[in-house]
Amino acid sequence: MRGGLALGLLALAACQSPSMTSAIPPPPPGNTPTIPEVIAASKPDEWRRIDPENTLYMDFPNGRVIIELAPHFAPNHVANIRALSREGFWTNGAVTRVQDNFVTQWAQAAEPARPPKVGVEKLTAEFTLPRSVVTKFDVLPDPDTFASEVGFVDGFSAARDKDSVWLTHCYGMVGAGRDADENSGGGTELYVIIGQSPRALDRQLTVVGRVVQGMEIMSAFPRGTGDAGFYKTPAEHQHYADIKLAADVPAAQRTNLETLRTDSASFQTLVNSRRWRKDDFYKHPVGRIGLCNITVPVREAK
Amino acid sequence: MRGGLALGLLALAACQSPSMTSAIPPPPPGNTPTIPEVIAASKPDEWRRIDPENTLYMDFPNGRVIIELAPHFAPNHVANIRALSREGFWTNGAVTRVQDNFVTQWAQAAEPARPPKVGVEKLTAEFTLPRSVVTKFDVLPDPDTFASEVGFVDGFSAARDKDSVWLTHCYGMVGAGRDADENSGGGTELYVIIGQSPRALDRQLTVVGRVVQGMEIMSAFPRGTGDAGFYKTPAEHQHYADIKLAADVPAAQRTNLETLRTDSASFQTLVNSRRWRKDDFYKHPVGRIGLCNITVPVREAK
C-alpha cells in the first residue's frame, strides 16, 4: 500500500511546478505537531489582528457568529454590506434557507423584504481579480480538482490561473446570493458553505468573506424542506438579533480576534503537519492536503 | 477568465491518462440536464435494488436514517454489524459525538457500554482490497488531491492505486470508530462524515457503508462541546430507537430503495452534466467535478 501511495505521489507531482512541490519540505521523522502545539509555538508577529471594519457580528440566541469580510476581493459588496448593516437592513433578520451539504442562507425575515435605504440591492459581480493585482499568494503544493493553483491570500482560501485570482467556496466561506443575472447580487442575502465544498460555485458568485467564529451554529440548523432547502414557513426561520459591524459596537462588547498569517512559518508548519499527519491514531502519512481541508487558526486577541 | 480556465484544464489534462479523459466526452452545447431530468430519462435496468441484508434502519424521533452496508469491502465488519443489530446491541442507543465539519458518531447510550454477546468489539482492519479483486471501477476523469484514480465501485465512492482499492471518506460515508490500535474497531461505534470530506482518513479507518437516506438528520444535530465533539452530558445524547437490519423488519415496515448504477449510461450523463453544468444560473461550465461532490441518486423502489 505504501509503495502504491508513493507511486501516486510521483504521478501527481508531475502536475506541480518544482517550485511548488519544493516549497514545503517534508517534516522531520516522528509524530507531527498538533495544531495546538503549532499555535503554542507561534510568535505574536505571526498573527494578524482582524479589523473591526471588516468584521460582522451575527448574534443568535445560542451564540455569536463572526464573519471576516474580504474587501480586497469584493470592495463594492463589502462597502454595501457595511452600509446595509449601518442602516439596520438586517435588524430582526433570519436564516431562511438551509440546504443540506450545501449552504445556510440568511436575509431579512419579513416577506416581502424592505428595500435598502442607503445600501443597494444589486451590484456588478466581483468574481475574480486580475492576477497582477494580487501580489501575495501563499500556494499549497498539492493538486486541486478545480484549479491549477490553490492556496491562501491573507487568510482567505483562494485559487488562481495565469490571468486571475478568486476566493474559493470552501467550508465556512461566505458569498452573496443572486438571481440568474450575475449582477443581481449585492449582499442583501448572504450564504455560508456548510458541507462538502461546492467548488463549482467558484467564479460564479461573489465571495465576500469567511466565518471565523460560530460555524458550529451555522451548520447545525434544521434543514429546510422547501425547494433548495428554503424553510416552508416563517415559523421555521432561525432569527438573529441583527448583523452589526464590529467597528459600530462599543469596544467592551467586541470579540477581538486575530488570525494566524498564512504567510508565516508557523502556518507552513501547520499545513505540513496536516499533509504528513502522523501520530498515535494517524499511522500512514498521506503527504497531501486539500485546500478546503485546512482551517486557518483564529483566536481571541490578547 | 475563460481563456485562463481553458489553460488550467489543459494543464490538468496532462495529469490524466488519455483513456480517462476520453472516457467521458463533453456534453452537447446548450444547457446541461438537471439531475431530475437525468433520473426521469433513466431506464429501469439502470437502477440496482438495495439489498435488505445490507440495509440498516436507524429510527430517530424526526425520521429514519438508512445506511447501505459495503460487505464487499468490509465483509467481517458488516457481518459483525448484522450480528450486533440482531442481538439488540444498539437498542435505545444514541448519537454521542458531533464534531463540526467532521463526523457524527453513534453507539450505545449507556456508559459503560454493555459488551456484545454474539458480535465482537474488535476486528482486524479492513482498510483496502487488492486491486486484482475489484474488477469493476467506474473511474472519474478529473484530478483528485489524495489519490491517482477515484471513482465508484457499485455506488460507493472509492479510490485506487496500482496495488489496492479503498472506499473514501466522502460526505455521507459511514466508518467504524477505533482506538489508536488499527485493529481495535469492529463496528460497535459508527460515524458518518458531515462536513468537508476528510480524505486523510482514507485507509486509516474501515469504511463500512454510506447513508442513502436521512443525511439531513445526521448532519443537523447540535455540535458537541466536549473534546473531539463528544457531548459532555447524557442529556445531550440524540437517541434512536434501535438499529435494525431491513431484512429483519416486516416487509410492510421496510423502505425499499434502489440506487442508480454507477456503471450506467444515465450515471455517466449525470456526472458529465455536473462537470459541465450550464443553465440559467451556472453560466461558466467548469468541466470538472470532485469525487465527493457527486451524490449517487437513490429513490424508493417501485
Side-chain angles (χ1 to χ4, degrees):
Chain A
M1 191 170 87
R2 315 299 302 138
L5 179 55
L7 240 180
L9 277 167
L10 287 172
L12 287 159
C15 309
Q16 304 302 312
S17 77
S19 63
M20 285 165 67
T21 39
S22 63
I24 306 184
N31 285 359
T32 46
T34 64
I35 291 175
E37 285 168 351
V38 172
I39 290 174
S42 66
K43 299 186 183 64
D45 66 2
E46 292 185 304
W47 295 76
R48 170 177 63 80
R49 187 73 167 257
I50 297 180
D51 185 345
E53 277 291 331
N54 297 332
T55 304
L56 294 179
Y57 296 152
M58 235 175 132
D59 289 315
F60 287 92
N62 57 332
R64 171 172 283 184
V65 174
I66 303 180
I67 296 164
E68 180 183 20
L69 297 167
H72 188 59
F73 279 87
N76 299 328
H77 281 71
V78 166
N80 194 47
I81 287 166
R82 290 195 192 103
L84 291 166
S85 169
R86 285 173 168 150
E87 74 172 69
F89 180 82
W90 283 298
T91 305
N92 304 317
V95 166
T96 55
R97 174 194 186 193
V98 186
Q99 184 171 357
D100 191 54
N101 193 22
F102 194 44
V103 297
T104 290
Q105 189 167 315
W106 59 97
Q108 292 183 358
E111 288 285 349
R114 302 180 312 275
K117 298 190 272 314
V118 181
V120 299
E121 275 181 2
K122 299 182 180 183
L123 289 170
T124 302
E126 297 176 295
F127 295 162
T128 68
L129 286 177
R131 178 160 172 159
S132 57
V133 308
V134 183
T135 53
K136 285 188 76 295
F137 188 101
D138 307 314
V139 71
L140 291 175
D142 302 311
D144 178 76
T145 299
F146 295 90
S148 50
E149 269 188 306
V150 294
F152 293 88
V153 176
D154 204 19
F156 292 89
S157 64
R160 68 181 179 183
D161 59 22
K162 77 182 210 322
D163 301 320
S164 48
V165 182
W166 57 94
L167 297 183
T168 54
H169 283 79
C170 288
Y171 188 90
M173 294 293 275
V174 176
R178 63 165 172 87
D179 300 325
D181 176 358
E182 293 188 328
N183 301 314
S184 63
T188 56
E189 300 222 358
L190 298 170
Y191 62 86
V192 62
I193 302 305
I194 61 165
Q196 169 66 22
S197 302
R199 296 279 308 284
L201 295 178
D202 294 357
R203 295 187 286 190
Q204 312 224 35
L205 288 113
T206 299
V207 176
V208 301
R210 59 174 181 146
V211 170
V212 291
Q213 180 181 301
M215 264 313 291
E216 73 284 359
I217 295 172
M218 300 308 287
S219 62
F221 292 120
R223 279 38 180 163
T225 56
D227 292 345
F230 278 94
Y231 289 133
K232 281 182 173 171
T233 64
E236 297 169 275
H237 287 172
Q238 302 288 330
H239 290 270
Y240 52 84
D242 206 345
I243 301 179
K244 301 288 270 183
L245 202 65
D248 298 341
V249 170
Q253 298 168 27
R254 291 184 197 165
T255 307
N256 297 309
L257 300 176
E258 59 187 9
T259 183
L260 186 62
R261 283 175 30 215
T262 47
D263 63 352
S264 66
S266 289
F267 183 72
Q268 184 160 314
T269 300
L270 183 152
V271 167
N272 223 21
S273 73
R274 299 290 94 180
R275 295 179 68 224
W276 296 94
R277 184 169 182 174
K278 185 173 186 308
D279 53 36
D280 293 346
F281 192 88
Y282 289 78
K283 302 179 197 298
H284 309 294
V286 184
R288 301 179 221 159
I289 190 86
L291 172 67
C292 297
N293 288 115
I294 298 171
T295 301
V296 179
V298 172
R299 68 181 180 187
E300 292 227 6
K302 294 173 193 70
Chain B
M1 190 171 88
R2 313 301 303 138
L5 178 55
L7 239 179
L9 278 167
L10 287 172
L12 287 159
C15 308
Q16 304 302 312
S17 77
S19 63
M20 285 165 66
T21 39
S22 62
I24 305 184
N31 285 359
T32 46
T34 64
I35 292 174
E37 286 167 349
V38 173
I39 290 173
S42 66
K43 299 184 182 64
D45 66 2
E46 293 185 303
W47 295 77
R48 169 177 64 79
R49 187 73 168 258
I50 297 180
D51 185 344
E53 276 291 330
N54 297 332
T55 303
L56 293 179
Y57 296 151
M58 229 173 138
D59 289 315
F60 287 92
N62 57 332
R64 171 172 283 183
V65 174
I66 303 180
I67 296 165
E68 180 183 21
L69 297 167
H72 188 58
F73 280 87
N76 299 327
H77 281 71
V78 166
N80 194 47
I81 288 166
R82 290 194 194 105
L84 291 166
S85 168
R86 286 173 168 150
E87 74 171 69
F89 179 82
W90 283 298
T91 305
N92 303 318
V95 165
T96 55
R97 174 193 185 193
V98 186
Q99 184 171 358
D100 191 54
N101 192 22
F102 194 45
V103 297
T104 290
Q105 189 168 315
W106 58 97
Q108 291 183 358
E111 288 285 351
R114 303 181 310 276
K117 298 191 272 311
V118 181
V120 299
E121 275 181 1
K122 301 182 180 184
L123 290 169
T124 301
E126 296 176 297
F127 295 164
T128 68
L129 287 176
R131 178 159 173 159
S132 57
V133 307
V134 183
T135 53
K136 286 188 75 295
F137 188 100
D138 307 314
V139 71
L140 291 175
D142 302 312
D144 178 76
T145 298
F146 295 89
S148 51
E149 269 188 307
V150 294
F152 293 88
V153 176
D154 204 19
F156 293 89
S157 63
R160 68 181 179 183
D161 59 22
K162 78 182 207 327
D163 300 319
S164 48
V165 182
W166 57 95
L167 296 183
T168 53
H169 282 78
C170 288
Y171 188 91
M173 294 293 276
V174 176
R178 63 165 173 85
D179 299 325
D181 175 359
E182 293 188 327
N183 301 315
S184 64
T188 56
E189 300 223 358
L190 298 169
Y191 63 86
V192 61
I193 302 305
I194 61 165
Q196 169 66 23
S197 304
R199 296 278 308 282
L201 294 178
D202 294 356
R203 295 186 285 190
Q204 313 225 33
L205 289 112
T206 299
V207 177
V208 301
R210 59 174 181 147
V211 170
V212 290
Q213 180 181 300
M215 264 312 291
E216 73 284 358
I217 295 172
M218 299 309 287
S219 61
F221 292 120
R223 280 37 181 163
T225 55
D227 291 346
F230 278 94
Y231 289 133
K232 281 181 173 173
T233 64
E236 296 169 275
H237 287 172
Q238 301 288 330
H239 291 270
Y240 53 84
D242 205 345
I243 301 180
K244 300 290 271 184
L245 203 65
D248 298 340
V249 170
Q253 295 168 29
R254 290 185 199 166
T255 307
N256 298 309
L257 300 176
E258 59 186 8
T259 183
L260 186 62
R261 283 173 32 214
T262 48
D263 63 352
S264 68
S266 289
F267 184 73
Q268 184 160 312
T269 300
L270 183 153
V271 168
N272 223 20
S273 73
R274 298 290 96 181
R275 296 179 68 225
W276 295 95
R277 184 169 182 174
K278 186 174 184 308
D279 53 37
D280 294 346
F281 192 88
Y282 289 78
K283 302 179 197 297
H284 308 295
V286 185
R288 301 180 221 158
I289 190 88
L291 172 67
C292 296
N293 289 115
I294 298 171
T295 301
V296 178
V298 172
R299 67 182 181 186
E300 292 227 4
K302 295 174 193 65

